[in-house]
Amino acid sequence: MKAVYLQGIGIAAPGLFGWPAARRVLLGETAWQDEALAKLVPQLLPPNERRRTTALIKLALQVAEEAVTMAGTEAAQANTVFASSDGDFYIVDRLCDALLQEGKPVSPTLFHNSVHNAPAGYWAIAAASQNPSTSISAADATFSAGLLESVSQLATNGSNVLLVAYDHPAPFPLDEKRHFVAPFGVALLLAARADDSTLAEMELHLPVENDQILSRCSDGSMEALRQGNPAAASLPLLEAVARRQNCSIGLPYVAGNLLEVKIRA
Amino acid sequence: MSISPLMISASSLVNALGVGKEATLQALQTEKSGLRRCDLAEVDFPTWIGRVAGLESQPLQGKWQPFDCRNNRLTKLALQTDGFDDAVDKARQRYGSQRIGVFLGTSTSGIAQTEQAYRQRDAVSGSLPEEFDLLHTHNIYSLVEFTQRYLGLEGVGLSISTACSSSAKVFAAAARHIQAGWCDAAVVGGVDSLCMTTLYGFNSLELVSAEPCRPWDAKRDGINIGEAAGFALLEPADDTAEVLLEGYGESSDAYHMSTPHPEGEGAALAMRQALKRAGLERSEIGYINLHGTATPSNDAAEDKAVEKVFGCTTPCSSTKGWTGHTLGAAGISEAIIAMLVLQHGFLPANLNLQQKDPALAINVLQKSESREVRHVVSNSFGFGGSNCSLVFGKRK
């Protein structure tokens, strides 16, 4: 395939809040601390809209904003791919609970926030963007599937693509059925052409070449996080970008396959 | 950028009108609706629904048991319909199992299974039943994993969930993946099934009609919720091609989470892009299958959008009066209806239209017509301001 270029990164996860801090951790300059993620207050969405959003929506918007800001591009100009394995468990819990009550009092706001593309809808309003947007899932392979869709868009359409991957732990009792160790959000602003601010060149391969195996975090203490949230599958890729390494990364993909990402810093 | 020509070499459809495309075609031609008074015991408000009969008694068994939920039962039924699984089997032998992608849309997947699990929470611990398998039923990807395994496919795959545009956008995603070289052919489609979340959710927004829905009617007052599953096999066009995917357009409203832009700006943008990608003039489109949900604001916005792009002469209709609004399956359902229009030279009426809203301008068909058309458009718009228009054409 034709290479794509990484122009901006956003990240929000325990001990990895914002790319500058995350980069130092991934470089091994500072030790990773498994500390709770602070409350997020994304800035682009007007306060009256932000009031209606959930923790999952804020997580997606926060990292999207950071990636766009870092790339120095107009938020409205990027096509978007929102990738989440399970969507908003908090809303599912509230909806299913309401359906058990007398008269099944589902809240209208809760219902329109329940669609998988709710973060994408709020982002379009925040960024004032009428550009194409999609919202996907591929369970534990969601990050890779989002990356493939993003590069497919770049190959067939000139616009930059903002990939936003995010999942948030479920409340009880859903947490007993699908457990994520922590919230994790990551956004990559991808372009078809390189410029002075390009962070890395990426080339995807499917099926993988040679003996590419699933990549892990160099810091073993972060492995539980990588395996404990579908969006955190991105960590080995982010580590390679932070370290400006020329290397190949194996990411989990669907149907038992791996997706290979060749990175040139 | 224009798209390389893709043909629809097989398709299947299951909805309230019956199992198979022939049931839908016959109902369209005889103007017989599939809607019925809501007969679900848990629903305590009056409405009409488009229910697929018999799913309750068709559990997924054996190795498919972990996937068992209403949505995946409907998925399996549609895969077995209209010879679709056989057609994919032949394609698999030609292309290889790694080279056929699967791109499916859904809005709520198997959420009905989670609703049921909540009704069965342990009285003491609050836990959900042990046998409840969230990942293989409720998760948005569950229908793709089921479909891949059922058809023996091992290539690229993803679910798209953008509310009521979901299974229109799968055509765009599949075309991109084929064009970028990640697969040679693709199974596209969508499945959505009745659940309390959508019935009570739309009711909370006062968007559900107590009567059969009446798109474009002066007295329209909301949707009827339906369920459906549909699939199409997309391949590079060859000499056998009858129906082609000619273009797609996608856009965002950037306006409101559950109300369309009142001037239909986003919708018009999607239609213009679809025409541009197809390389067609607006005068070359012979029929538009409207999203036409029958809520006052949706139809008003779509009317303005269609008028902006096409003017007021192109024949249009909403077929929701037959099937109900099948949400995440509406895109594929109406794409297949658009293909039936191309193949049978038959333009369906806008069922249940008694008195056209005088505020609406476009040419909505009061009666069905026999007419050969070469190119058709299908519109799908969803919550969150997600718009998609598709152009299908008949081979010259």
Side-chain angles (χ1 to χ4, degrees):
Chain A
M1 68 160 272
K2 216 167 151 287
V4 300
Y5 300 91
L6 178 60
Q7 303 294 109
I9 302 174
I11 182 168
L16 300 167
F17 185 51
W19 179 243
R23 188 176 154 271
R24 284 192 294 277
V25 172
L26 295 168
L27 279 170
E29 290 177 2
T30 51
W32 178 62
Q33 305 285 337
D34 187 4
E35 56 201 7
L37 188 57
K39 205 173 161 188
L40 302 175
V41 189
Q43 295 300 307
L44 273 182
L45 195 67
N48 65 325
E49 292 281 357
R50 193 169 63 217
R51 208 163 35 80
R52 302 166 190 266
T53 62
T54 62
L56 180 88
I57 297 169
K58 291 187 179 86
L59 177 63
L61 297 184
Q62 174 80 30
V63 295
E65 274 181 29
E66 188 191 356
V68 165
T69 307
M70 182 175 171
T73 57
E74 281 287 323
Q77 297 305 317
N79 294 358
T80 53
V81 176
F82 283 80
S84 170
S85 166
D86 288 77
D88 212 324
F89 276 130
Y90 162 81
I91 288 181
V92 171
D93 177 64
R94 298 269 312 269
L95 282 173
C96 289
D97 217 38
L99 291 171
L100 292 175
Q101 311 302 317
E102 181 67 29
K104 303 187 178 68
V106 169
S107 126
T109 303
L110 205 60
F111 178 61
H112 77 54
N113 277 350
S114 76
V115 294
H116 198 66
N117 60 316
Y122 282 107
W123 172 257
I125 293 169
S129 176
Q130 292 192 315
N131 274 31
S133 171
T134 194
S135 296
I136 68 142
S137 168
D140 290 337
T142 295
F143 177 75
S144 296
L147 197 54
L148 262 181
E149 167 66 14
S150 301
V151 302
S152 300
Q153 288 196 15
L154 280 168
T156 54
N157 182 326
S159 300
N160 290 347
V161 177
L162 176 63
L163 167 64
V164 191
Y166 48 97
D167 268 293
H168 198 284
F172 176 83
L174 292 165
D175 183 59
E176 292 187 338
K177 295 295 179 182
R178 181 85 167 133
H179 179 67
F180 298 148
V181 297
F184 196 104
V186 59
L188 307 180
L189 195 288
L190 301 167
R193 283 180 202 82
D195 65 20
D196 293 346
S197 59
T198 295
L199 299 163
E201 180 184 313
M202 301 199 300
E203 207 180 273
L204 272 50
H205 291 272
L206 186 78
V208 298
E209 294 179 346
N210 304 320
D211 300 322
Q212 180 64 51
I213 55 164
L214 185 69
S215 299
R216 298 173 189 280
C217 297
S218 297
D219 177 351
S221 73
M222 296 174 75
E223 271 294 287
L225 179 61
R226 182 185 66 81
Q227 295 170 48
N229 184 310
S234 59
L235 277 170
L237 186 156
L238 298 174
E239 183 182 308
V241 172
R243 296 184 177 205
R244 302 189 72 82
Q245 281 171 338
N246 292 340
C247 61
S248 262
I249 302 291
L251 298 176
Y253 190 52
V254 304
N257 297 320
L258 287 183
L259 175 69
E260 182 176 11
V261 186
K262 286 188 178 165
I263 295 173
R264 281 183 288 273
Chain B
M1 190 188 289
S2 63
I3 62 177
S4 40
L6 294 171
M7 65 178 180
I8 291 86
S9 55
S11 60
S12 73
L13 183 60
V14 175
N15 56 28
L17 299 169
V19 177
K21 289 178 287 186
E22 186 59 31
T24 291
L25 181 64
Q26 280 210 5
L28 292 173
Q29 289 178 330
T30 55
E31 302 202 355
K32 194 169 177 297
S33 172
L35 296 172
R36 68 176 89 194
R37 270 186 206 285
C38 182
D39 53 2
L40 303 173
E42 308 95 309
V43 178
D44 60 5
F45 58 88
T47 186
W48 290 57
I49 56 173
R51 180 161 73 77
V52 174
L55 291 175
E56 300 76 13
S57 58
Q58 299 174 44
L60 302 183
Q61 292 172 322
K63 64 177 173 174
W64 308 119
Q65 196 277 328
F67 291 95
D68 187 38
C69 62
R70 190 173 182 89
N71 213 59
N72 288 332
R73 291 180 190 188
L74 189 49
T75 306
K76 177 167 173 266
L77 184 58
L79 287 172
Q80 292 173 325
T81 296
D82 291 318
F84 191 76
D85 48 3
D86 287 341
V88 174
D89 200 47
K90 290 195 180 78
R92 188 166 50 91
Q93 289 166 31
R94 282 199 304 281
Y95 295 106
S97 62
Q98 297 269 350
R99 296 298 298 171
I100 303 178
V102 179
F103 304 86
L104 304 178
T106 186
S107 70
T108 50
S109 191
I111 198 172
Q113 210 66 15
T114 306
E115 294 171 0
Q116 187 188 328
Y118 267 67
R119 290 196 287 271
Q120 298 167 343
R121 283 178 76 164
D122 186 276
V124 179
S125 69
S127 289
L128 300 168
E130 192 159 344
E131 64 275 15
F132 169 54
D133 187 337
L134 187 146
L135 190 60
H136 290 100
T137 59
H138 175 149
N139 183 280
I140 292 286
Y141 186 67
S142 127
L143 71 166
V144 175
E145 188 178 350
F146 175 77
T147 299
Q148 281 194 322
R149 289 206 206 168
Y150 193 80
L151 297 174
L153 301 178
E154 301 165 303
V156 293
L158 59 82
S159 277
I160 293 183
S161 188
T162 54
C164 306
S165 63
S166 303
S167 61
K169 289 169 75 74
V170 294
F171 284 92
R176 283 191 284 267
H177 279 72
I178 292 172
Q179 196 175 343
W182 302 118
C183 52
D184 297 322
V187 170
V188 299
V191 189
D192 246 344
S193 45
L194 292 170
C195 59
M196 292 305 116
T197 299
T198 51
L199 277 154
Y200 276 87
F202 280 106
N203 194 49
S204 76
L205 290 163
E206 299 178 347
L207 295 175
V208 176
S209 178
E211 301 295 327
C213 67
R214 287 168 287 181
W216 260 258
D217 196 277
K219 291 181 180 164
R220 69 186 183 278
D221 63 356
I223 68 172
N224 301 141
I225 296 177
E227 60 189 350
F231 291 96
L233 179 58
L234 276 181
E235 300 183 59
D238 64 23
D239 292 347
T240 66
E242 288 180 32
V243 175
L244 303 169
L245 171 67
E246 298 187 307
Y248 59 82
E250 299 169 282
S251 72
S252 306
D253 267 4
Y255 176 71
H256 189 271
M257 286 304 291
S258 57
T259 307
H261 190 287
E263 299 300 316
E265 275 183 22
L269 194 59
M271 285 183 260
R272 284 198 193 98
Q273 288 183 358
L275 278 181
K276 190 177 167 196
R277 231 180 225 108
L280 293 171
E281 298 295 327
R282 66 182 196 174
S283 59
E284 294 177 274
I285 300 299
Y287 168 75
I288 301 171
N289 187 290
L290 300 164
H291 189 55
T293 63
T295 74
S297 63
N298 281 2
D299 289 2
E302 188 174 10
D303 192 84
K304 287 204 167 72
V306 171
E307 184 183 2
K308 269 183 211 169
V309 180
F310 291 96
C312 292
T313 55
T314 310
C316 305
S317 63
S318 160
T319 44
K320 298 263 192 310
W322 271 279
T323 60
H325 189 354
T326 61
L327 309 177
I332 185 70
S333 297
E334 289 155 28
I336 289 172
I337 289 173
M339 296 175 209
L340 291 173
V341 164
L342 287 169
Q343 288 170 310
H344 296 274
F346 169 81
L347 311 188
N350 192 94
L351 197 65
N352 300 339
L353 182 61
Q354 288 162 5
Q355 191 187 359
K356 190 181 163 190
D357 184 344
L360 304 182
I362 62 173
N363 177 20
V364 171
L365 295 170
Q366 302 258 2
K367 288 185 179 148
S368 55
E369 283 179 25
S370 286
R371 190 193 293 192
E372 293 291 328
V373 289
R374 171 72 48 87
H375 308 282
V376 297
V377 164
S378 180
N379 281 341
S380 300
F381 310 129
F383 272 12
S386 175
N387 308 305
C388 184
S389 284
L390 301 172
V391 182
F392 295 99
K394 203 159 51 172
R395 195 185 176 82
K396 290 188 187 80

